[in-house]
Amino acid sequence: MLISEFADLVLGHVGSPAGRPSVLAVDGRSASGKTTLAARLADAVPGTTVVHTDDIAWWHSVFDWVDLIVDGVLEPVRRGAAVSYRPPKWDERGRAGAVVVPAGQRLLIVEGVGAGRRELTDHLDGVVWVETPRAARDRRDEARMAAGEVSRETYESWMAEEEPFVAEQRAWERAFAVVDGTSSTTVGLLSEAHVNDT
């Protein structure tokens, strides 16, 4: 389906809460295409902001960031407040800027591994899972390592935490849509039967 059609499906599911943006999690394994899908949705839906869990987790913890995103982003957003949040490590390590969600947005997309985790269920209006075969994800990760975006040591350390985390969370079971992450031109919907545990 076209991204515009998928955007309509998303908006139909997450609804239009009074006084605040709808909150959508875009979850999936590393290199599955989450960031790409979130960016395409943001382009298709005016008034959308994307928050990356990697920015919340930066120098903090791979997956122990629930309190940060809830207190710093999700609770204020659900009250209808604008957000300009600097996670503690940003101050400690001198990172410029902030995680910003302007007031009056239509949609907030939280994107990243663990965005649809069960601890965030009460703060989300919907979850999309991006599913991509391991071989394709491995090729993307190898390309990132070859380009120097991430070291092999960092990648292996990340995966040692990601694999059991994803297997335990099974966020696809909470998703209203499972999307094929191999296409960058259309959005392919998959049934849960196509989601594997590898």
Side-chain angles (χ1 to χ4, degrees), residues 76-95:
V77 161
R78 290 179 70 88
R79 294 194 303 267
V83 169
S84 182
Y85 175 59
R86 289 181 53 79
K89 292 296 182 182
W90 289 35
D91 289 331
E92 290 178 20
R93 304 188 70 88
R95 179 172 172 172

Side-chain angles (χ1 to χ4, degrees), residues 101-178:
V101 183
Q105 293 292 278
R106 169 69 183 87
L107 179 66
L108 168 62
I109 299 173
V110 178
E111 173 277 323
V113 182
R117 62 196 297 165
R118 66 178 57 90
E119 298 94 330
L120 299 181
T121 299
D122 291 344
H123 301 276
L124 304 173
D125 298 303
V127 177
V128 170
W129 177 264
V130 182
E131 177 67 15
T132 301
R134 178 182 286 275
R137 290 184 280 115
D138 287 348
R139 284 193 299 272
R140 292 171 182 176
D141 282 329
E142 288 294 338
R144 290 172 180 171
M145 286 185 277
E149 294 178 26
V150 64
S151 69
R152 184 164 297 278
E153 180 182 19
T154 298
Y155 168 76
E156 291 176 353
S157 175
W158 173 278
M159 294 309 294
E161 292 195 51
E162 177 181 313
E163 289 179 359
F165 174 85
V166 169
E168 192 278 327
Q169 283 282 335
R170 301 179 68 85
W172 57 86
E173 295 178 349
R174 294 182 291 282
F176 68 88
V178 178

Side-chain angles (χ1 to χ4, degrees), residues 1 3 14 28 50 63 66 72 129 131 134 137 149 196 198:
M1 72 174 50
I3 188 64
V14 299
V50 179
F63 293 113
V66 169
W129 177 264
E131 177 67 15
R134 178 182 286 275
R137 290 184 280 115
E149 294 178 26
N196 60 64
T198 59

Side-chain angles (χ1 to χ4, degrees), residues 40-60:
R40 293 176 68 206
L41 269 175
D43 287 343
V45 180
T48 296
T49 295
V50 179
V51 169
H52 305 282
T53 61
D54 285 351
D55 289 334
I56 304 295
W58 188 76
W59 284 98
H60 177 74

